[in-house]
Amino acid sequence: MVLANFLGVVLLMELIAGGYRFGADGLSMNYYVFNCPLAEPIVRSTVTSALQSDPTLAAALVRMHFHDCWIQGCDGSILLDSTKDNTAEKDSPGNLRVRGFELIDDVKEQLENQCPGVVSCADIVAMAAREAVSWSGGPVYDIPKGRKDGRRSKIEDTINLPFPTFNASELVRVFGKRGFSAQDMVALSGAHTLGVARCSSFKTRLSDPVDPTMDSDFSKALAKTCSGGDNAEQSFDVTRNNFDSFYFQALQRKAGVLFSDQTLYNNPKTKAIVNNYAMNQAMFFLDFQQAMVKMSLLDVKEGSKGEVRADCRKVN
């Protein structure tokens, strides 16, 4: 397992060093090196500045990237505003907690001033998530760039987002449909090492009878959180702004916040992966970065299938 992970990272590094091109129209690690050489520095400096002011944005940016890619692929569709004729993805109940749109707008404005019509909003979201992970202490990795922005964003498409009530078998199935292995799914779930959940997403676990997969003291802690109402927040682990393996250690203690978190430890197929990540943070980091690169390639738009929006909130 360790050797396989090592070889995977070596291959990834070779692809990065060689500017390897992905897909027919050529997604590339070095896509902007000539046509907008300041793209990466602008994204990095702007995101870093925002995170220094508000570290909780790290979780939000990773969440935005996942929710963007899961619906219609990584095409910036989550950024589009609703219109009088269409309710967009961002106004779905599943996306109401997604934030960071103003930061993406800020990056886009700077890039349009520097190199108009070159850097897509989809790439900005993907790069911002990458920066959030590394800034929070997680793995440092690169992603291929050159995605185009999509022109569709409909609320009904968000029904395909994974629900916090899914059990491990359901998660393995829905992720498998997108080409992810059970290991990929557990690694990506580890993004919950950042951020919080609102009571509304886990309060059903506190109903009579209380979810027996929870530690009794932890269920009391969640009940106390929910005494503050549906919007009361509970950290996924003890280091909400640090990217580490504490999330998996919480699952071992039966202290997973969401049902979809704790279920990973209750299923034999995923329990072993959780134990490995809880014990070996380096393994988690390696698998996470590979899964994130894989996710960043979901159904990307290339060439005439998309566009580079001038304004991330509306199609050209």
Side-chain angles (χ1 to χ4, degrees):
M1 176 68 75
V2 174
L3 179 59
N5 283 327
F6 175 74
L7 292 176
V9 172
V10 169
L11 175 60
L12 183 62
M13 292 175 66
E14 289 178 350
L15 296 181
I16 294 171
Y20 184 81
R21 305 186 74 80
F22 296 73
D25 290 308
L27 267 69
S28 169
M29 297 294 187
N30 299 323
Y31 189 84
Y32 296 116
V33 69
F34 295 117
N35 55 3
C36 192
L38 292 181
E40 298 258 10
I42 287 173
V43 172
R44 181 169 296 115
S45 63
T46 307
V47 172
T48 297
S49 178
L51 290 172
Q52 288 171 341
S53 299
D54 180 8
T56 68
L57 267 177
L61 293 173
V62 176
R63 182 185 181 93
M64 179 188 289
H65 181 42
F66 178 85
H67 282 224
D68 182 39
C69 292
W70 201 260
I71 307 300
Q72 301 294 317
C74 306
D75 64 353
S77 56
I78 197 170
L79 304 174
L80 290 172
D81 285 340
S82 295
T83 66
K84 63 178 182 178
D85 300 316
N86 178 66
T87 304
E89 293 173 26
K90 66 165 55 170
D91 291 322
S92 160
N95 283 331
L96 292 181
R97 287 186 57 238
V98 176
R99 60 191 182 91
F101 298 110
E102 294 78 9
L103 172 58
I104 302 301
D105 291 339
D106 184 9
V107 174
K108 179 62 173 176
E109 182 178 359
Q110 294 181 58
L111 290 173
E112 285 299 299
N113 289 333
Q114 184 68 34
C115 35
V118 175
V119 183
S120 69
C121 301
D123 273 351
I124 294 172
V125 171
M127 288 188 283
R130 176 200 64 192
E131 295 304 318
V133 169
S134 61
W135 185 87
S136 303
V140 177
Y141 62 97
D142 200 2
I143 52 171
K145 290 161 284 287
R147 300 161 190 76
K148 293 297 189 291
D149 297 320
R151 302 181 179 94
R152 172 192 173 98
S153 182
K154 293 186 175 294
I155 188 172
E156 55 263 33
D157 294 337
T158 61
I159 191 66
N160 295 315
L161 286 169
F163 286 87
T165 54
F166 278 5
N167 62 36
S169 296
E170 291 172 313
L171 290 169
V172 169
R173 176 179 57 81
V174 297
F175 274 78
K177 286 183 176 179
R178 300 300 178 95
F180 294 102
S181 66
Q183 180 171 293
D184 291 331
M185 181 272 290
V186 176
L188 289 172
S189 296
H192 279 178
T193 183
L194 297 173
V196 300
R198 291 187 179 180
C199 174
S200 57
S201 62
F202 59 79
K203 66 180 181 180
T204 55
R205 303 183 71 198
L206 305 173
S207 303
D208 191 17
V210 174
D211 184 347
T213 65
M214 277 193 296
D215 173 78
S216 59
D217 288 338
F218 185 66
S219 67
K220 293 174 184 176
L222 291 186
K224 183 177 180 181
T225 295
C226 283
S227 66
D230 281 359
N231 289 326
E233 296 178 340
Q234 175 70 39
S235 298
F236 285 113
D237 66 26
V238 295
T239 56
R240 62 175 286 181
N241 296 324
N242 294 342
F243 197 99
D244 50 39
S245 61
F246 286 7
Y247 164 80
F248 297 105
Q249 294 172 22
L251 302 188
Q252 290 179 317
R253 298 192 305 272
K254 298 183 178 180
V257 176
L258 303 178
F259 179 82
S260 57
D261 292 322
Q262 193 58 53
T263 187
L264 301 178
Y265 193 67
N266 301 331
N267 185 296
K269 186 172 184 177
T270 52
K271 182 176 182 177
I273 304 171
V274 170
N275 284 333
N276 285 337
Y277 291 161
M279 180 176 57
N280 190 334
Q281 181 169 282
M283 179 186 294
F284 164 47
F285 278 19
L286 294 179
D287 289 351
F288 180 82
Q289 67 187 44
Q290 291 177 51
M292 284 292 279
V293 171
K294 189 173 183 179
M295 186 180 74
S296 78
L297 296 173
L298 276 179
D299 302 324
V300 297
K301 311 293 189 297
E302 299 177 87
S304 61
K305 294 180 180 179
E307 62 185 16
V308 175
R309 292 183 212 135
D311 181 339
C312 290
R313 293 176 180 263
K314 59 184 180 181
V315 297
N316 291 342

